[in-house]
Amino acid sequence: MNIQEAKFLMSNSRVEDCPPPTLPEYAFIGRSNVGKSSLINMLTGQKGLAKTSSLPGKTQLINHFLINSTWYLVDLPGYGYARVSKESRVKWSRMINYYLRKRENLACVFVLLDSRHAPQAVDLEFMEQLGSEGVPFVMVFTKADKQSGTRTQQNVAAYLETMEQTWDEVPRHFVTSAEEKTGREEVLQFIAEVNQQLAQAADNT
Ligand code: GTP
Ligand code: MG
């Protein structure tokens, strides 16, 4: 899929204020600093579109980007950053859980996982929660440029094995690097396929 146009629309803390739920939407979520905003910039080919930082906690709101005037990419704040007050954590949890439950045009959630690490409890728990609420998601391993391909494959395999212990069917996964543009075509192709399925389903009603 080609991205002809990608533009920032708005930032919100309330789901009610988000753009009308008339277009399919893909949300990026994962631990603070895992590379959500960087991946959005890599996919759209616009370096400064989503704000990134080497310090965790950069993205604080629900950010909507309109792509090719036909679908939304959404950048969300991260979870699991230790140096965050209890109050902020509760606020995050309320905003995100409400968003995940209420956003009716949410086509798929991309759960970002750092390809350098072994499976982390906070990520496994978050995916369990998505599963129990029936929110469709795929896994995206980030920062693959940070180590050798072999090492990345080992970490991904360990993750998938852990998932297999609790999931009948482990959701699809992608390996990416925002730095080297790895996985760009695969992720965009996946989005194109889901967009097409949704359009067909709408035609049949
Ligand atoms: P929050 O908004 O704080 O939750 O973080 P985020 O998940 O949006 O992470 P962000 O995209 O801001 O990236 C965090 C840091 O990781 C930045 O310093 C990025 O340059 C770096 N980074 C992100 N993706 C990659 C990648 O694929 N490779 C490398 N080497 N660095 C990356
Ligand atoms: Mg961010």
Side-chain angles (χ1 to χ4, degrees), residues 2-43:
N2 279 334
I3 301 229
Q4 283 106 22
E5 190 189 34
K7 58 181 181 189
F8 168 71
L9 277 189
M10 52 165 102
S11 302
N12 293 289
S13 61
R14 284 161 32 104
V15 177
E16 289 80 1
D17 300 329
C18 289
T22 47
L23 299 173
E25 175 157 320
Y26 299 84
F28 285 40
I29 199 154
R31 273 190 300 148
S32 281
N33 215 45
V34 71
K36 302 173 291 295
S37 304
S38 300
L39 190 61
I40 286 180
N41 293 341
M42 184 272 263
L43 292 174

Side-chain angles (χ1 to χ4, degrees), residues 49-62:
L49 189 64
K51 293 203 178 75
T52 65
S53 166
S54 56
L55 300 173
K58 179 70 180 171
T59 310
Q60 291 284 338
L61 295 165
I62 304 168

Side-chain angles (χ1 to χ4, degrees), residues 15 38 46 73 98 117 138 146 200:
V15 177
S38 300
Q46 288 189 38
L73 270 181
Y98 196 69
H117 302 318
V138 295
K146 291 259 196 183
Q200 270 164 8

